[in-house]
Amino acid sequence: MKNGKNLTRKQKSMLLAKGYNFKLYLCVKNTSTFQEFVNRETLEIIRIEN
């Protein structure tokens, strides 16, 4: 798995709006159509469409 990156302010607000705790997630993929985040504790990957 690739190294996760810290979230930007926009990504944090997007995760909050979706009901996720942004402190638990890292960004692993950021494209124009979707974003993938990985949970720091469970390593679960979530995909959010733009």
Side-chain angles (χ1 to χ4, degrees):
M1 180 169 48
K2 294 184 178 180
N3 295 337
K5 305 293 182 197
N6 287 331
L7 302 178
T8 63
R9 182 177 291 168
K10 186 176 179 182
Q11 290 170 333
K12 288 178 185 178
S13 63
M14 180 178 59
L15 282 174
L16 269 178
K18 299 281 185 179
Y20 294 103
N21 182 359
F22 66 85
K23 292 182 180 180
L24 296 178
Y25 288 92
L26 295 171
C27 183
V28 289
K29 190 177 276 189
N30 186 7
T31 67
S32 61
T33 57
F34 68 90
Q35 294 180 338
E36 283 186 352
F37 302 96
V38 64
N39 189 309
R40 295 175 193 251
E41 297 172 351
T42 64
L43 300 180
E44 174 192 9
I45 295 176
I46 60 170
R47 185 179 197 165
I48 297 179
E49 303 291 329
N50 289 345

